[in-house]
Amino acid sequence: KAGVTQTPRYLIKTRGQQVTLSCSPISGHRSVSWYQQTPGQGLQFLFEYFSETQRNKGNFPGRFSGRQFSNSRSEMNVSTLELGDSALYLCASSLGSTGGSGYTFGSGTRLTVV
Amino acid sequence: GENVEQHPSTLSVQEGDSAVIKCTYSDSASNYFPWYKQELGKRPQLIIDIRSNVGEKKDQRIAVTLNKTAKHFSLHITETQPEDSAVYFCAFPHGQNFVFGPGTRLSVLP
């Protein structure tokens, strides 16, 4: 079966701009979680969507938002970009429960803010 | 929230030796413990997991042991090979999501 698809793979934006990243989960997976990965902070949880509803949210400012569509595809948006937003953004697909299965990650979108 | 500690942060071993990475957690309700491997420039991938009703699980050269009383679990890699060089993350359930440890950079020296 197809894996988790993230687009685009690379992005370069300037400060103040906004960006939208996309994630298509594994077919049948209804949960999409987003993580920010930086060398100094590791994998930080942004938010999770399940059946088009945001179910959990991490400690990120309101500039970070997301949504999920009826086909389970998810987008995350970052507005008013800051230099510190430069990171690898990973989405993770799962069935929606942490009781017995882990994540399948996409390849990520590497965002560089200049 | 969930407090996750992972040690060591870096680990260098000679090819053929064993490597052990340990994670401790604070949430006693955790019942599923996965480990992820992330090679340079690639996505994290699930390599092994264990459930709370099992003390040890092995998959070829990789094993995970769980001590629920002490709230820690460890990844063991035997007969290490150069392709084992990567960053390894433990993860813990936190609600419907996972909290990840800070990672261990394993280098296998030829």
Side-chain angles (χ1 to χ4, degrees):
Chain A
K1 56 184 176 182
V4 182
T5 302
Q6 283 190 251
T7 57
R9 290 294 307 276
Y10 302 93
L11 268 178
I12 300 176
K13 292 285 188 178
T14 57
R15 277 181 298 175
Q17 287 187 311
Q18 75 164 13
V19 66
T20 300
L21 314 180
S22 177
C23 173
S24 293
I26 290 172
S27 177
H29 283 191
R30 295 162 65 188
S31 171
V32 174
S33 300
W34 289 89
Y35 286 80
Q36 181 193 66
Q37 186 175 31
T38 58
Q41 297 297 318
L43 284 156
Q44 299 293 312
F45 174 69
L46 282 154
F47 32 66
E48 183 236 1
Y49 286 85
F50 182 84
S51 293
E52 301 181 65
T53 300
Q54 186 182 85
R55 195 162 61 166
N56 293 290
K57 190 176 190 304
N59 296 322
F60 278 81
R63 300 184 296 106
F64 292 81
S65 63
R67 58 178 175 169
Q68 187 179 35
F69 302 94
S70 58
N71 61 356
S72 293
R73 187 177 73 86
S74 178
E75 290 181 346
M76 69 163 280
N77 184 78
V78 187
S79 63
T80 319
L81 285 166
E82 301 176 359
L83 295 179
D85 297 333
S86 295
L88 179 66
Y89 290 88
L90 291 160
C91 81
S93 168
S94 74
L95 293 169
S97 168
T98 57
S101 62
Y103 288 151
T104 300
F105 282 94
S107 296
T109 295
R110 184 164 296 282
L111 172 65
T112 302
V113 182
V114 296
Chain B
E2 177 64 62
N3 185 34
V4 178
E5 294 185 6
Q6 183 174 343
H7 297 282
S9 57
T10 60
L11 178 60
S12 294
V13 299
Q14 291 294 134
E15 183 176 354
D17 287 350
S18 296
V20 180
I21 304 168
K22 181 177 175 180
C23 272
T24 60
Y25 60 97
S26 57
D27 182 0
S28 61
S30 298
N31 57 12
Y32 173 72
F33 306 89
W35 282 93
Y36 291 82
K37 173 185 180 182
Q38 186 175 27
E39 297 176 71
L40 187 63
K42 297 189 176 180
R43 74 188 78 188
Q45 289 193 300
L46 178 67
I47 56 171
I48 195 168
D49 54 22
I50 192 168
R51 290 165 178 75
S52 58
N53 59 344
V54 176
E56 181 178 2
K57 180 178 178 181
K58 293 185 70 174
D59 182 4
Q60 299 183 347
R61 297 185 297 106
I62 295 173
V64 55
T65 57
L66 172 64
N67 185 327
K68 287 212 75 178
T69 302
K71 296 183 182 180
H72 67 74
F73 73 109
S74 300
L75 177 70
H76 304 255
I77 306 174
T78 58
E79 301 173 32
T80 53
Q81 300 171 4
E83 55 263 37
D84 296 328
S85 295
V87 179
Y88 292 82
F89 296 95
C90 59
F92 298 90
H94 184 62
Q96 293 97 351
N97 301 105
F98 288 96
V99 174
F100 287 83
T104 296
R105 182 174 299 280
L106 172 65
S107 299
V108 180
L109 307 174

